[in-house]
Amino acid sequence: MTTNKIFTKWDETHSELWAHQPIRLEHEMHKSPAFSMDDLAKLIEGYPREHYSLVQTGARGSKKLWREGDIGNLSGREVIDAISRGGLWLNMRNVAAVDPRYGKLVDRMFEEIVAKVPDFEIPKGHQESILISAPDAQVYYHADMPGQSLVQIAGRKRVYVYPNSAPFITAEHLEDIALFNVEVDLPYKEWYDDHAKVLDIGPGQMLGWQMNAPHRVENLDTFSVSMTISYLPTRCDPRMALPSIRPRRAAPTSFWPAWPRRSWMRRSNGASEPRAASVASAPVTRAACSTRSASNRPASARAVETWVPLRSASPSFGPSARGARPMRASASVAGI
């Protein structure tokens, strides 16, 4: 990197707006050798299978589609080339546990923010994921429980950030996200866009926004590399909070087996506990790496079509994969 600082420009308005409104900042992280294509290719080749998702989504304006695939024996470069041709994106979850360079960059980022933002403290925990996505990739309307930042490394994205208040998100929606992992099923209407803040970002830019704000993302016809950061603030400013969750009849779930199971609910592997809104550091396990943000958390069964292998590195999964017998049903990740 050419400088010891993460942020290249920061003024008083950024200090006032951080965590309260969507803001665009300039950074130097994209110049780190850790984000070179050679290093990313090596990272892909050695990444634990249980900690990544290779996803195909529908084209913009088409029916919602969500399919997962396997890298198989492809090299990291072949995976990157396949993604660049369209239709796919790769999410490598909890990347700092695999390569600590990424976590150290984020540690430095938060140290600089603490020095600039009054009352902001180093988060209790944070988790990073790297997203490599096709020129036509998109992430559907959703919200996350922890704080979120999106760091752009290569390519350009358009991000729609919506108010963290009703009707865009309600206390009941948050309860469903916290308990049942259904953030990708948030209701969305086209007129919501009239109330969104729309921000374009390119290499060397990043976004932050208020907690729980719904958002969706479109790539601007460019191959994209970005890093998502999920973090749990040490304390929350009341201005960031939604109204307290009102009492209501609890929804049916796997840990109350006597209640009827709904179509959107995931299958149970036995008794389970509600998920806490936390990104505290934990060992690299399947549970830890499936994190608490939309980019790292399973979608509802309704959003998932099937699990198919990535064959011949085709962005459409190749003709040999169409109609193939599914390897297994799978939940998938939504992305930032």
Side-chain angles (χ1 to χ4, degrees):
M1 296 177 69
T2 60
T3 177
N4 291 326
K5 291 185 177 182
I6 295 294
F7 296 106
T8 57
K9 291 183 180 179
W10 188 291
D11 58 36
E12 291 182 3
T13 64
H14 297 136
S15 297
E16 292 289 335
L17 293 174
W18 174 261
H20 304 309
Q21 293 292 327
I23 57 172
R24 180 170 43 214
L25 300 164
E26 297 187 16
H27 68 85
E28 291 276 271
M29 285 184 275
H30 63 304
K31 297 179 180 179
S32 168
F35 288 111
S36 70
M37 286 301 145
D38 287 340
D39 281 32
L40 289 173
K42 292 177 183 177
L43 183 68
I44 291 170
E45 290 172 1
Y47 220 76
R49 176 62 194 91
E50 63 270 27
H51 301 326
Y52 78 76
S53 294
L54 182 67
V55 178
Q56 180 187 29
T57 60
R60 289 194 289 273
S62 66
K63 180 181 177 183
K64 183 180 286 189
L65 170 68
W66 203 278
R67 306 173 72 200
E68 286 201 16
D70 263 322
I71 289 174
N73 296 321
L74 296 176
S75 69
R77 279 287 183 178
E78 288 174 324
V79 172
I80 291 173
D81 289 344
I83 293 172
S84 69
R85 293 198 293 272
L88 303 173
W89 58 270
L90 174 68
N91 180 17
M92 292 181 282
R93 300 182 290 274
N94 199 10
V95 67
V98 177
D99 188 332
R101 291 181 297 172
Y102 303 101
K104 290 177 181 178
L105 284 171
V106 177
D107 286 339
R108 289 169 50 200
M109 182 195 82
F110 280 122
E111 288 171 2
E112 291 186 26
I113 295 173
V114 166
K116 298 175 184 295
V117 179
D119 297 326
F120 185 82
E121 299 177 1
I122 295 291
K124 292 180 179 179
H126 58 80
Q127 193 168 112
E128 299 73 46
S129 298
I130 291 180
L131 301 175
I132 302 176
S133 52
D136 56 351
Q138 64 176 320
V139 177
Y140 300 118
Y141 182 84
H142 69 281
D144 304 293
M145 290 298 292
Q148 295 288 304
S149 292
L150 175 63
V151 179
Q152 195 63 15
I153 304 300
R156 297 187 59 79
K157 290 182 182 291
R158 177 164 295 160
V159 183
Y160 297 75
V161 183
Y162 304 81
N164 62 343
S165 58
F168 309 99
I169 188 168
T170 66
E172 190 168 306
H173 293 148
L174 281 179
E175 184 179 14
D176 287 341
I177 293 170
L179 295 179
F180 311 125
N181 309 328
V182 293
E183 68 278 1
V184 294
D185 280 349
L186 283 180
Y188 167 75
K189 299 177 181 178
E190 289 187 2
W191 63 262
Y192 284 7
D193 290 356
D194 295 336
H195 302 271
K197 185 165 186 178
V198 184
L199 297 157
D200 292 354
I201 55 173
Q205 295 179 313
M206 65 173 283
L207 295 181
W209 52 81
Q210 62 272 42
M211 286 188 70
N212 310 135
H215 49 281
R216 65 184 185 89
V217 185
E218 297 174 349
N219 281 3
L220 295 178
D221 298 320
T222 60
F223 171 79
S224 174
V225 178
S226 55
M227 179 169 66
T228 65
I229 303 169
S230 300
Y231 64 94
L232 184 66
T234 302
R235 54 183 175 180
C236 292
D237 189 307
R239 290 175 294 177
M240 297 160 55
L242 288 172
S244 59
I245 296 174
R246 61 180 174 82
R248 66 185 178 103
R249 183 179 179 184
T253 182
S254 60
F255 46 86
W256 289 108
W259 293 349
R261 184 175 184 274
R262 304 301 186 203
S263 61
W264 54 263
M265 299 178 70
R266 58 184 173 84
R267 293 183 179 277
S268 171
N269 292 322
S272 58
E273 296 293 333
R275 295 177 74 105
S278 169
V279 288
S281 299
V284 182
T285 64
R286 181 182 296 271
C289 285
S290 74
T291 82
R292 287 81 168 161
S293 73
S295 59
N296 303 315
R297 201 187 298 166
S300 68
R302 196 167 55 194
V304 180
E305 206 173 85
T306 187
W307 181 285
V308 293
L310 175 61
R311 304 196 178 176
S312 69
S314 167
S316 63
F317 290 89
S320 59
R322 297 194 190 97
R325 185 175 181 269
M327 294 173 63
R328 65 180 177 91
S330 170
S332 61
V333 295
I336 196 164

